[in-house]
Amino acid sequence: MRDSITAKITLGSFLALIAITASLVAGEKPASGKPPSPASMPLPGAESLQDGDALMLADRASDALREYENAALHGNAEAGGRLGNLLLFGCKSFKTTQGVTANPAEGVRWTFVAATNRVASACENLGKAYELGIGVKTNLVEAYAWMRLARSFKPDLKLTHLDQLAVRLDSAQVRQAQELAETYRRGNWPTCPVKRLVNGDSRLTLNGVTMGGRTPLAVINRQTFALGESGMVRLRDGSLRILCAEIGGNSVTVEVEGEAEAHLLLMQ
């Protein structure tokens, strides 16, 4: 995506470059007399963000995902919002094999980071996640609060969904959501609703997964858990209370009570 550029520098231009660099180091102002304004300086990861957008237009979502992640890891909040969007909802590709499979928990994490950096589209997506129960438990009050916050950050954002959501709340819930939105707008952010994910846990073993039937089931340390179920598991030297947060074809995400990280268990 990025073209390599070969520049031929003459001796004169090279010496001029050294002189300019020396003057900047010495604290002198540029020829314009004004230092570059922050608005004129490129945002971190801006090039990867642009590359990601171009790849999305080319129906290459999986490649775009990598570019967005690179930009987001460099602190670009807009890229984090796009990354979160892809991971929350997934992206099917009808022209190529470069679709993206949804990863709701990871999508919530990136969306939350972008939303708390005042990216309006990320606030809207976090609201949708709360409304639909994608990666988080359904919470219509939080959903309304985040969508209202999105509108406060970008007044021209079309959110017909916000009015539809208000109808599903009673007056007390609407007031609560409005107060939450104002609290968030002032920068008093909540904690991320999804724990950081780490691979494995030496205390826990995934013995099996059943995806058939009405509810997916996972067998952890030879004890069966339904999706969303919490309970105690026996260990050699005690027990743990865990929550079965996600069940995949050959993996399970569990949260251990009292711990800050979630654990991805793979089939043994």
Side-chain angles (χ1 to χ4, degrees):
M1 179 59 62
R2 302 180 183 85
D3 296 329
S4 60
I5 301 175
T6 303
K8 295 182 179 179
I9 303 177
T10 64
L11 178 60
S13 62
F14 181 70
L15 293 174
L17 179 61
I18 293 176
I20 293 171
T21 304
S23 68
L24 291 174
V25 171
E28 297 177 15
K29 293 182 179 180
S32 65
K34 296 180 180 179
S37 66
S40 67
M41 299 174 68
L43 293 172
E47 189 175 359
S48 288
L49 174 61
Q50 292 172 357
D51 288 349
D53 289 344
L55 287 164
M56 285 298 295
L57 290 174
D59 202 22
R60 295 169 58 186
S62 60
D63 285 341
L65 184 78
R66 286 190 288 271
E67 293 293 343
Y68 289 148
E69 183 176 20
N70 180 58
L73 290 172
H74 282 82
N76 191 301
E78 288 286 348
R82 287 169 171 73
L83 175 62
N85 180 72
L86 280 175
L87 292 171
L88 265 179
F89 307 112
C91 181
K92 293 183 179 179
S93 176
F94 298 99
K95 298 179 182 178
T96 70
T97 59
Q98 290 208 5
V100 172
T101 301
N103 183 338
E106 198 67 14
V108 167
R109 289 187 193 90
W110 281 111
T111 301
F112 178 81
V113 170
T116 52
N117 277 277
R118 302 177 183 272
V119 176
S121 59
C123 293
E124 180 185 4
N125 282 338
L126 194 55
K128 290 178 181 177
Y130 272 114
E131 180 191 7
L132 302 173
I134 301 175
V136 291
K137 292 182 179 179
T138 300
N139 187 324
L140 297 185
V141 171
E142 286 283 356
Y144 187 90
W146 284 103
M147 289 188 186
R148 184 180 176 88
L149 188 65
R151 178 172 285 174
S152 73
F153 290 154
K154 192 174 182 181
D156 61 342
L157 192 65
K158 293 183 179 180
L159 285 175
T160 56
H161 211 57
L162 183 64
D163 298 327
Q164 297 171 359
L165 190 57
V167 176
R168 300 166 63 186
L169 302 174
D170 60 36
S171 57
Q173 289 174 317
V174 170
R175 285 195 300 273
Q176 182 187 358
Q178 291 172 342
E179 290 171 0
L180 274 178
E182 180 59 21
T183 298
Y184 298 162
R185 189 187 66 79
R186 292 175 180 172
N188 299 314
W189 304 110
T191 57
C192 181
V194 178
K195 295 183 178 181
R196 189 172 72 88
L197 189 66
V198 296
N199 289 325
D201 186 320
S202 59
R203 303 165 296 180
L204 302 172
T205 300
L206 178 60
N207 307 116
V209 170
T210 301
M211 299 299 291
R214 296 176 60 184
T215 304
L217 300 173
V219 181
I220 303 169
N221 286 22
R222 303 193 181 283
Q223 294 171 242
T224 302
F225 290 84
L227 178 63
E229 181 182 0
S230 62
M232 303 297 293
V233 291
R234 292 183 294 274
L235 308 176
R236 289 183 179 179
D237 55 353
S239 60
L240 285 176
R241 177 172 291 278
I242 66 170
L243 168 69
C244 185
E246 290 186 41
I247 298 179
N250 62 350
S251 66
V252 171
T253 300
V254 299
E255 297 179 4
V256 179
E257 186 178 75
E259 296 185 3
E261 298 172 331
H263 300 268
L264 178 66
L265 307 180
L266 300 177
M267 191 81 74
Q268 298 294 312

